[in-house]
């Protein structure tokens, strides 16, 4: 075993083998994999190993497409062929119109990635799958590429190719510790000696938190027991003359695929069980949990009803083994928060089917700093301090019970809530607030018109549409108040704060004390990394001159890592997080100044406190920092309050607002209004796949100064845009477009929707989309896919509501 390597990967399942292989494909051969036992001795060896192209985001579809292409290549390798049943086809069943709507949307989304799905009716489902009944069935989603692969052969093939490229694989080598050095390199301690590594990757499967503990971190990964069984031969399968499709059933919580002349039948029972929460026996390797078929009786009954042939079939073998989950069911692939030169590829619930793509995207991040797709959907930093293993276990149970039930738009499932609250959460709940979650925080979605009001979840406009319309009307004609919980807030102090930010941000950085500005941070490829509000707070009795860096709630760990990684040792800058210490109250509408003036001493006139100003004040008796900024397009103020004073400030604003008809509103109203103003949303419209010129942020770029990513941005500017972000007005009233929907002309896909909503002030069904530049001019007629139909749309100028911004500058 070598005593040094550029990268050491810990874990020899599909995650570790895929990462190792793909690092060599990116040109790094000085890489090593260390496995405590044999390759594939964890979850990988007992995986059902299904390989589907289905995903609920384009990133997931893209990485699965890569997996499928790689697995086909390995299957056809004459020197080491891998057993891969490609193209059996697969059906995801549905018994509600809302599920069918979802399948139609996902079909459009996948088409933008070059993947063809088909929505079929119940009779066609039965025609393609000879065992199923059409009772209580509307139809399904057909994936023609669906299949399954041999887990052990796959991992051995990847390891073999990596070795041929110069990588080293060490089996039967338990890692006993990890030490990080001042230069951020690592020593990996093993029972066979130490290895010095520049970078460490945790690919530890269900033992990932044992590896994490060696780094001093805890990952939000928990394991669930998962059972499947293999049946005896079924005559209808033997006589079919072809392989039958895979089946995934959200109606009865099971899946099946052909296994020789019978079926492999897997269960996602409601009476499910976590595994390994109190530690894992060191001897548990190539091992299984005890069978417990009593737990799956209810699921089995549903499977019998859907596939009556099962009632005449015997069980040949039962498998019960652990599989890993994260808080939202998606894996953790990328940088480990708070650590340098440390990555993970863990929580791979569907590791065999997706693992080729996960290793591919991780290798790109390690070698190049970013992957070719925006990987936020799998980024480990999307969870922050609330992400304990205990919370993960609760969410894992919830996800397990809903394995094949995709999340509907605006669906916020109840497990693990409330996790993060403010002093106003119960107060707003008493006022009728319906909450969603953002990075674990409870945040007001809308105000219910009656205590028994409930939303019908789906992809179409529903009862909440009119509720939001009324909230927007109240803001546009009077004044509204809402709480924005969890907004990311860093305090920067030191002599070099502005020069540091000037290097980080590609545009003008506001330097006058008492002023606010918006800036964008780029990565080394010249693409968009982060969006930040920069607020210069002048010295007062509350503290010295300091700068607040504000960004999206979910970006807390992501942005902190980027700032600290680029802070030079000789720069006098201290960064401190205030994210959990303060909360924002937003006051918006033409009467917002009147309410603020009644609640706070001082002159709040337009002349004394113009747009983009900042002032420390008191709202009633509560200390506050007031920013004159707007995400709604109306006159608005962000009022930042220490959490211990939040309730007092709220009461003062409610009292002051009585004379002006102040109404509460939620984030759904804000989403509608920001679409009308042309304002963008981080990780919906602001993505690492595009640069600021492609995203329409030219005015925020200043090329006469130096900043991170400038050289790469200049090259991209010279080459011209690959895509352009445009605003669309769609001729449809029954439903909005959804992120990922395809934009077409003459049947050809020319763009993809990034976000969309109804504009209640303009009466427009609006969407943003990244388009082929040849079709991006205002006035261009196109069509947008909405739930399986193409609707006429036209490209319009961005921000159709109050385009000269006169209302928010009033």
């Amino acid at each position: 075993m070598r005593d040094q390597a550029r990268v050491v990967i810990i874990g020899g399942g599909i995650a570790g083998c895929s990462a190792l292989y793909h690092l060599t494909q990116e040109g790094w051969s000085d890489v090593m994999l260390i496995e405590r036992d044999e390759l594939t001795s964890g979850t990988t060896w007992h995986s059902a190993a299904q390989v589907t192209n289905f995903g609920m985001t384009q990133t997931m579809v893209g990485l699965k497409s890569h997996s499928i292409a790689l697995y086909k290549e390995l299957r056809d390798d004459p020197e080491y062929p891998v057993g891969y049943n490609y193209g059996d086809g697969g059906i995801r069943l549905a018994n509600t119109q809302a599920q069918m709507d979802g399948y139609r949307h996902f079909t459009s989304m996948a088409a933008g990635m070059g993947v063809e799905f088909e929505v079929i009716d119940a009779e066609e489902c039965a025609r393609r799958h000879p065992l199923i009944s059409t009772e209580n069935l509307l139809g399904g989603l057909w994936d023609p590429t669906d299949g399954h692969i041999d887990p052990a052969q796959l991992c051995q093939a990847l390891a073999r190719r990596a070795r041929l490229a110069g990588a080293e694989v060490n089996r039967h080598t338990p890692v006993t510790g990890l030490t990080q050095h001042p230069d951020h390199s690592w020593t990996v301690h093993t029972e066979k000696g130490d290895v010095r590594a520049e970078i460490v990757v945790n690919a530890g499967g269900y033992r990932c938190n044992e590896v994490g503990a060696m780094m001093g971190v805890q990952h939000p990964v928990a394991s669930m027991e998962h059972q499947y069984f293999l049946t005896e031969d079924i005559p209808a399968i033997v006589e079919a003359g072809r392989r039958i499709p895979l089946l995934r059933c959200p109606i009865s919580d099971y899946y099946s695929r052909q296994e020789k002349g019978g079926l492999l039948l897997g269960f996602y029972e409601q009476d499910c069980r976590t595994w390994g929460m109190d530690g894992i026996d060191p001897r548990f390797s190539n091992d299984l949990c005890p069978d417990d078929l009593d737990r799956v009786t209810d699921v089995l009954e549903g499977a019998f009803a859907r596939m009556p042939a099962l009632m005449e079939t015997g069980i040949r073998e039962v498998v019960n083994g652990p599989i890993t989950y994260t808080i939202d069911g998606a894996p953790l692939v990328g940088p480990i928060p708070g650590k340098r030169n440390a990555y993970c590829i863990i929580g791979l619930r569907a590791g065999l089917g997706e693992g080729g793509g996960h290793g591919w995207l991780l290798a790109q991040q390690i070698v190049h700093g970013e992957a070719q797709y925006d990987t936020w959907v799998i980024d480990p930093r999307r969870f922050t301090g609330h992400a304990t293993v205990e919370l993960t276990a609760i969410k894992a149970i919830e996800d397990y019970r809903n394995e094949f039930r995709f999340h509907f738009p605006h669906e916020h499932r109840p497990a693990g809530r409330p996790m993060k609250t403010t002093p106003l959460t119960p107060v707003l709940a008493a006022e009728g607030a319906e909450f969603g979650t953002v990075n674990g925080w409870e945040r007001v979605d809308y105000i219910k018109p009656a205590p028994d009001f409930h939303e019908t979840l789906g992809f179409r406009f529903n009862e909440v549409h009119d509720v939001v319309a009324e909230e927007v009307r109240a803001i546009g004609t009077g004044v509204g108040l809402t709480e924005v919980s969890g907004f990311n807030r860093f305090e920067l102090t030191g002599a070099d704060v502005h020069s540091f930010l000037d290097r980080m941000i590609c545009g003008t950085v506001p330097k006058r004390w008492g002023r606010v500005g918006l800036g964008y941070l780029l990565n080394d490829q010249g693409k968009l990394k982060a969006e930040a509000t920069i607020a210069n707070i002048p010295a007062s009795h509350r503290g010295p001159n300091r700068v607040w860096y504000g960004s999206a709630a979910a970006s807390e760990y992501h942005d902190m890592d980027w700032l600290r990684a680029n802070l030079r040792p000789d720069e006098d800058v201290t960064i401190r997080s205030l994210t959990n210490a303060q909360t924002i109250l937003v006051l918006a509408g033409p009467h917002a100044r009147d309410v603020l003036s009644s609640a706070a001493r001082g002159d709040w006139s337009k002349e004394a406190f113009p747009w983009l100003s900042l002032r420390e004040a008191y709202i009633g008796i509560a200390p506050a920092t007031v920013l004159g900024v707007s995400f709604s397009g109306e006159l608005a103020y962000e009022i930042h309050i220490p959490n211990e004073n939040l309730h007092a400030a709220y009461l003062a604003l409610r009292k002051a607002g009585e004379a002006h008809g102040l109404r509460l509103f939620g984030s759904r109203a804000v989403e509608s209004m920001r679409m009308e103003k042309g304002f963008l949303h981080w990780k919906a419209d602001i993505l690492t796949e595009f640069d600021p010129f492609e995203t329409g942020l030219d005015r925020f770029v200043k090329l006469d100064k130096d900043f991170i990513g400038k050289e790469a941005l200049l090259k991209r500017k010279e080459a011209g845009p690959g895509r352009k972000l445009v605003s669309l007005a769609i001729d449809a009233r029954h439903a909005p477009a959804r992120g990922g929907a395809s934009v077409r002309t003459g049947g050809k896909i020319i763009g993809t929707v990034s976000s969309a909503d109804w504009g209640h002030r303009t009466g427009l069904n609006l969407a943003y989309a990244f388009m082929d530049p040849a079709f991006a001019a205002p006035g261009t007629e196109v069509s947008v896919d909405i739930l399986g139909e193409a609707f006429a749309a036209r490209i319009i100028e961005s921000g159709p509501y109050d385009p000269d911004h006169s209302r928010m500058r009033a």
Side-chain angles (χ1 to χ4, degrees):
M1 187 169 74
R2 299 201 301 260
D3 62 3
Q4 61 181 20
R6 192 169 191 178
V7 182
V8 169
I9 299 168
I10 304 170
I14 180 59
C17 292
S18 178
L20 187 77
Y21 165 73
H22 284 98
L23 282 169
T24 65
Q25 292 296 293
E26 295 295 329
W28 284 19
S29 59
D30 183 16
V31 293
M32 178 189 295
L33 185 148
I34 299 177
E35 161 58 41
R36 69 190 300 271
D37 201 324
E38 277 289 351
L39 298 184
T40 75
S41 59
T43 294
T44 300
W45 80 272
H46 61 74
S47 169
Q50 298 167 100
V51 184
T52 175
N53 224 346
F54 177 78
M56 289 182 287
T57 66
Q58 287 196 321
T59 295
M60 296 303 292
V61 171
L63 68 86
K64 291 183 179 190
S65 294
H66 175 83
S67 296
I68 289 170
L70 172 62
Y71 298 170
K72 288 171 67 179
E73 179 187 334
L74 294 172
R75 177 199 62 185
D76 298 335
D77 185 344
E79 295 183 9
Y80 195 93
V82 171
Y84 178 28
N85 286 291
Y86 166 78
D88 291 348
I91 308 173
R92 292 174 185 270
L93 302 179
N95 67 339
T96 69
Q97 190 59 55
Q99 288 172 315
M100 293 295 285
D101 282 348
Y103 290 160
R104 293 184 179 97
H105 167 66
F106 296 137
T107 297
S108 175
M109 182 198 68
M113 300 297 287
V115 173
E116 295 299 323
F117 294 149
E118 183 183 359
V119 178
I120 57 178
D121 63 21
E123 287 69 30
E124 184 63 17
C125 290
R127 192 188 72 77
R128 298 187 188 189
H129 197 297
L131 298 183
I132 67 170
S133 160
T134 59
E135 184 178 354
N136 187 31
L137 185 67
L138 280 182
L141 180 72
W142 171 259
D143 173 6
T145 68
D146 220 335
H148 72 279
I149 196 164
D150 185 296
Q153 288 183 3
L154 170 60
C155 292
Q156 293 290 352
L158 293 170
R160 172 182 174 272
R161 287 192 171 195
R163 286 191 191 99
L164 292 174
E168 181 174 311
V169 176
N170 295 287
R171 299 170 299 130
H172 304 288
T173 308
V175 172
T176 58
L178 292 166
T179 301
Q180 190 163 28
H181 304 287
D183 65 352
H184 307 299
S185 67
W186 295 85
T187 294
V188 183
H189 307 284
T190 81
E191 290 186 357
K192 295 182 179 178
D194 293 348
V195 182
R196 188 69 177 256
E198 179 184 334
I199 294 167
V200 169
V201 177
N202 182 352
Y206 54 67
R207 294 188 184 273
C208 65
N209 270 315
E210 295 177 8
V211 178
M214 299 176 191
M215 295 183 182
V217 301
Q218 185 184 64
H219 298 290
V221 176
S223 296
M224 300 291 298
E225 288 188 20
H226 177 59
Q227 295 186 90
Y228 64 80
F229 63 62
L230 306 175
T231 74
E232 303 287 356
D233 285 359
I234 298 174
I237 294 177
V238 175
E239 298 163 5
R242 59 182 173 86
R243 291 188 60 82
I244 66 168
L246 289 83
L247 202 65
R248 296 172 182 86
C249 182
I251 306 165
S252 302
D253 302 304
Y254 77 94
Y255 63 89
S256 69
R257 68 165 173 81
Q258 185 171 338
E259 178 70 17
K260 298 181 180 178
L263 287 177
L264 183 153
L265 198 70
F267 309 97
Y268 289 96
E269 71 280 5
Q270 298 303 295
D271 184 21
C272 53
R273 179 179 298 167
T274 58
W275 179 86
M277 289 291 292
D278 296 318
I280 302 169
D281 189 329
R283 296 167 296 180
F284 191 91
S285 183
N286 274 109
D287 212 342
L288 293 172
C289 309
D291 302 345
D292 189 1
L293 288 182
D294 288 343
R295 282 212 319 267
V296 302
T297 301
D298 57 336
V299 181
L300 194 55
E301 289 176 355
F304 284 163
R306 183 64 59 202
M307 303 168 69
L310 289 173
M311 291 185 280
E312 309 297 328
T313 305
I315 298 174
R316 180 161 52 86
E317 182 182 354
V318 178
V319 174
N320 184 18
I323 57 176
T324 56
Y325 278 75
T326 66
I327 287 176
D328 62 2
L332 306 177
V333 180
I336 295 175
K339 294 291 179 181
R340 298 284 293 278
N341 293 2
Y343 295 80
C344 61
I345 177 168
I346 56 178
L348 276 60
R349 182 187 71 202
L352 267 294
E354 304 172 352
H358 292 317
W360 175 57
L361 295 180
L362 179 65
Q364 292 176 39
Q365 292 178 70
I366 292 172
V367 175
H368 306 295
E370 297 283 359
Q372 68 183 68
Y373 302 142
D374 188 297
T375 57
W376 185 245
V377 67
I378 57 175
D379 195 306
R381 298 165 297 187
R382 69 186 187 274
F383 306 120
T384 56
H386 67 292
T388 62
V389 173
E390 286 73 16
L391 174 63
T392 307
I394 292 171
K395 297 299 289 184
I397 291 169
E398 183 180 60
D399 263 3
Y400 189 93
R401 290 170 172 168
N402 293 279
E403 177 68 28
F404 299 129
R405 298 183 190 94
F406 52 78
H407 278 76
F408 286 108
H410 304 298
E411 180 181 7
H412 301 276
R413 291 176 178 170
R417 295 178 62 190
M419 185 66 200
K420 290 196 282 190
T421 61
T422 76
L424 285 188
T425 304
V427 176
L428 293 167
E431 295 267 18
E434 179 70 20
F435 293 91
T437 58
V438 180
N439 191 29
W441 290 94
E442 296 291 321
R443 183 177 290 182
V444 180
D445 226 15
Y446 59 89
I447 306 300
K448 293 184 288 187
D452 60 350
F453 180 89
H454 294 287
E455 178 176 11
T456 304
L457 294 173
F459 286 79
R460 302 167 187 260
F461 292 127
N462 59 22
E463 308 91 335
V464 177
H465 186 71
D466 291 339
V467 175
V468 172
E470 177 57 25
E471 290 182 6
V472 172
R473 186 204 62 77
I475 297 164
T477 60
V479 60
L481 179 68
T482 193
E483 176 193 60
V484 180
S485 56
F487 184 78
N488 183 45
R489 182 187 296 96
F490 301 146
E491 182 180 88
L492 283 70
T493 54
D496 298 322
V497 165
H498 285 120
S499 60
F500 169 63
L501 289 173
D502 204 47
R503 183 164 53 80
M504 298 297 297
I505 291 173
C506 65
T508 301
V509 176
K511 297 181 176 66
R512 272 176 49 203
W513 300 109
R515 295 296 289 171
V516 180
L518 185 65
Y520 292 87
L521 292 74
L522 309 186
N523 59 26
D524 293 325
Q525 289 74 39
K527 301 179 184 180
L528 287 164
K529 185 77 172 178
E531 177 189 62
T533 298
I534 304 300
N536 296 301
I537 305 175
S540 71
H541 67 281
R542 299 184 193 174
N545 288 336
R546 56 207 182 279
V547 174
W548 277 1
Y549 172 110
S551 56
S555 70
E556 181 184 357
Y557 282 4
H558 173 279
D559 286 13
M560 182 65 85
D561 278 357
W562 185 245
L563 293 174
R564 285 180 170 165
N566 287 284
L567 184 60
R568 295 170 181 164
D570 62 345
E571 286 181 305
D572 177 17
V573 178
T574 299
I575 306 174
R576 181 169 71 105
S577 177
L578 299 177
T579 299
N580 298 315
Q582 301 214 11
T583 297
I584 299 173
L585 296 176
V586 172
L587 192 63
H591 296 307
R593 179 177 288 113
D594 299 328
V595 175
L596 183 60
S597 297
S598 297
R601 288 186 293 111
D603 183 357
W604 296 98
S605 65
K606 178 179 179 179
E607 294 72 25
F609 193 76
W611 184 55
L612 298 181
S613 293
L614 176 151
R615 180 188 297 175
E616 289 184 330
Y618 285 86
I619 304 298
I621 60 172
T625 305
V626 182
L627 279 61
V629 295
S630 174
F631 200 48
S632 63
E634 305 292 346
L635 174 67
Y637 304 99
E638 281 187 5
I639 305 170
H640 298 244
I641 312 285
N643 281 339
E644 63 268 26
N645 306 115
L646 186 62
H647 194 191
Y650 173 80
L651 292 174
L653 289 169
R654 289 302 304 268
K655 182 67 175 175
E658 288 177 358
H660 303 281
L662 182 143
R663 292 278 301 272
L664 296 178
F665 66 96
S667 59
R668 297 263 198 111
V670 176
E671 182 68 9
S672 167
M673 293 185 288
R674 71 100 182 170
M675 291 291 304
E676 294 178 302
K677 286 300 297 175
F679 296 156
L680 309 184
H681 201 296
W682 188 70
K683 292 309 178 188
D685 319 300
I686 300 169
L687 303 169
T688 57
E689 295 177 31
F690 306 105
D691 64 43
F693 299 127
E694 292 172 313
T695 314
L697 298 171
D698 310 46
R699 66 193 183 280
F700 293 99
V701 179
K702 190 178 180 183
L703 291 174
D704 60 353
K705 69 163 199 169
D706 291 327
F707 53 84
I708 291 173
K710 178 181 177 180
E711 183 177 345
L713 181 62
L714 288 172
K715 292 178 181 178
R716 293 183 60 82
K717 186 174 187 291
E718 184 178 352
R723 279 287 188 265
K724 289 289 289 185
L725 184 68
V726 304
S727 293
L728 295 163
I730 308 169
D731 294 337
R733 302 190 68 86
H734 68 300
R738 299 289 177 185
S742 291
V743 183
R744 304 174 188 261
T745 185
K748 174 186 174 185
I749 295 176
I750 56 170
T752 297
V753 170
S754 58
S755 59
D757 209 337
W758 184 267
H760 291 282
R761 296 172 298 191
T762 57
L764 296 174
N765 195 347
L766 296 168
Y768 298 149
F770 282 98
M771 300 274 288
D772 181 333
F775 301 92
T780 303
E781 300 286 336
V782 296
S783 68
V784 177
D785 292 352
I786 299 180
L787 307 183
E789 295 184 63
F791 287 85
R794 67 188 184 281
I795 298 175
I796 62 173
E797 295 288 351
S798 178
Y801 180 74
D802 187 34
D804 63 357
H805 307 306
S806 60
R807 293 180 67 87
M808 64 185 190
R809 296 172 188 262

